Amino acid sequence: MRSVFWLLGLAALAVALALLVGHNNATLTLFWPPYRFDVSFNFVVFCLIAGFVLLYAALRAFAMLRDLPAQAQRWRSQQVERSVVGAVMDALSHQLAGRFVRAQAAAQQALDQLKGVPPGHWPRRDQLQLLAHLLLAESAQSLQNRERRDDNLQAALNPKLTKNAPEAYEGALLRAVRWAVEDRDADAARARLAELPQGAGRRIQALRLKLRVARLGGESAEALETARLLAKHRAFSPEASRSIVRGLALDVLREAHDMAQLQACWNGLDAPERAMPELALAAAYRAHQLSAIAGSDPDGAEAHARVLAWLEPLWSEFGSLDPAQQRQLALAMEPALGALDAAGLAQLEQRQRQWPQNPFLQYLAGQACMRRQLWGKAAQMLGQASHSLNDPALLRRTWRGLAQLAEERGDVEAAHVAWKRAAALD
């Protein structure tokens, strides 16, 4: 469109000149006493145009001549800028290739060239200097030169540089956190994480580092919360997220120091987490440990009731549990059998009838009947379990139960045999 307007303007100028000078017989008289000059008007017009062109050309030539030093300075500045950018790119390439000594040399070359360039001389001069310091620090970390790494990190975090390069500043802080984690320095890593802006602290990379810092510092609860955020943002695959969250939740449950804290940890788990068999079994096992440590704790019955409530969802999926989990369920249920109410006992008997050949259900049913002094049924269930159990600990307890039942009915010989079988498994 602009070229069309130029063509129209040139056409209009050509028409105007043609109309003006085509049949113009006018003359222009110039007086220079005592002389008089009669000059054609067209000639005067052309002389004025030619003079204007010559004057404009002379002024342009003079301006270009005067601008030569500035152009030379700009050219030298561009050459230095290209050289610095090339050195930074070489440092990055060597760093990615694992050639850390060459990466250090290239980054140092870029810094040496930047020393003669005043701040703000280029639009991205500060960003280039920050990146060069960061690449030099990264190479020093790979070479285990912590003193040089720290010096360049401090130079990269200089407020004069970070003011014009906020993204590079956040990247430097994230790198500093990773280096502190590699050095096993949880306090330094937390300090660097606290310096991150609020928006940068919610990014996946920052959350990954926060998870590593929390695990390094033994903060399982914080690590679990961070792992949930990462799983929500799909930072891991579903299988990996489930495994990480399960492992951290197990650590949280194992670190509980009393029943109140254990209950608080259990309540802090999400519904899908409480449905994991591993977590329910771990919570029950920890509850029994705490009850054993407390000894004659008046809250022992309450603790057993909590254990039964935590394990109740596992009965609905008992068939999907593997044999190891079924064994753990039997071990977790046994101490709480005394707190089992009529409905719970009926549920246990229903499961035992549903899977009559399952040795763990036979063992639990026999122990529950013993607690209620149902000697005949207890002897039947424990007798069946003694033939099908392969676990030494449960089998030893089974024979002890059979020995006690034999003593109750006065069968000394059977009791002696049962005690002997139980002692053989110790």
Side-chain angles (χ1 to χ4, degrees), residues 224 228 242 245 249 265-280 310 313-314 317:
L224 177 59
R228 288 171 180 162
R242 179 183 173 88
V245 170
C265 294
W266 179 261
N267 294 336
L269 298 179
D270 296 337
E273 295 168 0
R274 288 196 293 268
M276 295 181 182
E278 299 87 351
L279 297 186
W310 297 342
L314 299 185
E317 53 185 35

Side-chain angles (χ1 to χ4, degrees), residues 275-277 280-281 310-334 337 344 347-365 388-389 394:
M276 295 181 182
L281 293 171
W310 297 342
L311 297 177
E312 183 177 359
L314 299 185
W315 289 112
S316 59
E317 53 185 35
F318 183 83
S320 62
L321 300 179
D322 56 51
Q325 291 175 340
Q326 292 179 2
R327 173 186 177 275
Q328 293 176 3
L329 178 59
L331 291 173
M333 280 286 296
E334 184 181 1
L337 289 176
Q347 186 181 29
L348 176 59
E349 291 179 348
Q350 180 183 0
R351 291 291 181 269
Q352 197 278 324
R353 288 193 297 270
Q354 187 176 359
W355 289 284
Q357 303 303 321
N358 189 282
F360 303 109
L361 291 177
Q362 293 170 353
Y363 172 79
L364 282 178
S388 54
L389 276 174
L394 292 180

Side-chain angles (χ1 to χ4, degrees), residues 26-331:
T27 59
L28 182 66
T29 302
L30 301 176
F31 292 94
W32 187 274
Y35 304 104
R36 172 183 173 179
F37 301 95
D38 292 329
V39 184
S40 171
F41 179 79
N42 292 344
F43 179 73
V44 172
V45 170
F46 281 116
C47 287
L48 290 175
I49 294 175
F52 173 78
V53 171
L54 289 175
L55 179 62
Y56 178 77
L59 292 176
R60 289 291 300 169
F62 179 74
M64 291 177 62
L65 183 64
R66 188 180 60 181
D67 197 43
L68 280 178
Q71 287 185 356
Q73 186 177 3
R74 285 196 298 269
W75 181 83
R76 288 194 296 269
S77 177
Q78 289 175 355
Q79 290 297 108
V80 174
E81 184 178 6
R82 292 191 185 100
S83 178
V84 171
V85 171
V88 171
M89 292 180 64
D90 289 341
L92 179 59
S93 301
H94 290 315
Q95 176 67 36
L96 294 176
R99 309 176 85 170
F100 305 120
V101 176
R102 294 191 179 186
Q104 278 188 333
Q108 188 62 52
Q109 178 185 356
L111 291 175
D112 293 340
Q113 292 176 341
L114 284 171
K115 288 180 180 178
V117 181
H121 188 70
W122 304 329
R124 296 197 174 186
R125 187 261 184 201
D126 295 339
Q127 185 179 13
L128 283 172
Q129 184 174 356
L130 194 154
L131 288 175
H133 279 298
L134 191 58
L135 286 170
L136 192 56
E138 181 72 30
S139 300
Q141 169 67 15
S142 301
L143 296 173
Q144 296 300 308
N145 189 346
R146 291 183 174 84
E147 182 178 358
R148 192 174 188 183
R149 178 203 69 187
D150 294 338
D151 292 341
N152 283 276
L153 178 61
Q154 288 302 119
L157 297 178
N158 189 339
K160 295 180 180 179
L161 299 181
T162 58
K163 179 176 64 174
N164 299 323
E167 293 82 6
Y169 168 68
E170 294 167 2
L173 286 177
L174 291 174
R175 285 293 182 180
V177 175
R178 185 175 66 82
W179 297 336
V181 171
E182 291 177 358
D183 294 343
R184 313 294 294 177
D185 190 347
D187 295 334
R190 287 185 182 279
R192 292 300 185 186
L193 278 175
E195 296 179 25
L196 280 173
Q198 186 176 3
R202 293 195 297 264
R203 295 172 189 163
I204 290 180
Q205 180 67 18
L207 290 176
R208 286 177 181 268
L209 290 171
K210 186 178 179 181
L211 174 61
R212 295 179 63 182
V213 172
R215 300 187 71 174
L216 178 63
E219 300 292 338
S220 300
E222 180 184 355
L224 177 59
E225 189 63 30
T226 306
R228 288 171 180 162
L229 285 176
L230 287 169
K232 180 181 179 181
H233 293 303
R234 298 182 180 178
F236 308 111
S237 63
E239 295 78 10
S241 299
R242 179 183 173 88
S243 177
I244 293 173
V245 170
R246 181 175 62 243
L248 292 172
L250 287 172
D251 292 338
V252 170
L253 294 172
R254 290 166 184 159
E255 292 173 1
H257 300 298
D258 51 39
M259 284 302 303
Q261 186 179 6
L262 181 61
Q263 183 65 48
C265 294
W266 179 261
N267 294 336
L269 298 179
D270 296 337
E273 295 168 0
R274 288 196 293 268
M276 295 181 182
E278 299 87 351
L279 297 186
L281 293 171
Y285 180 72
R286 185 56 181 166
H288 293 320
Q289 282 184 326
L290 294 174
S291 298
I293 294 173
S296 57
D297 189 358
D299 295 332
E302 182 180 355
H304 293 324
R306 290 177 182 176
V307 169
L308 292 176
W310 297 342
L311 297 177
E312 183 177 359
L314 299 185
W315 289 112
S316 59
E317 53 185 35
F318 183 83
S320 62
L321 300 179
D322 56 51
Q325 291 175 340
Q326 292 179 2
R327 173 186 177 275
Q328 293 176 3
L329 178 59
L331 291 173

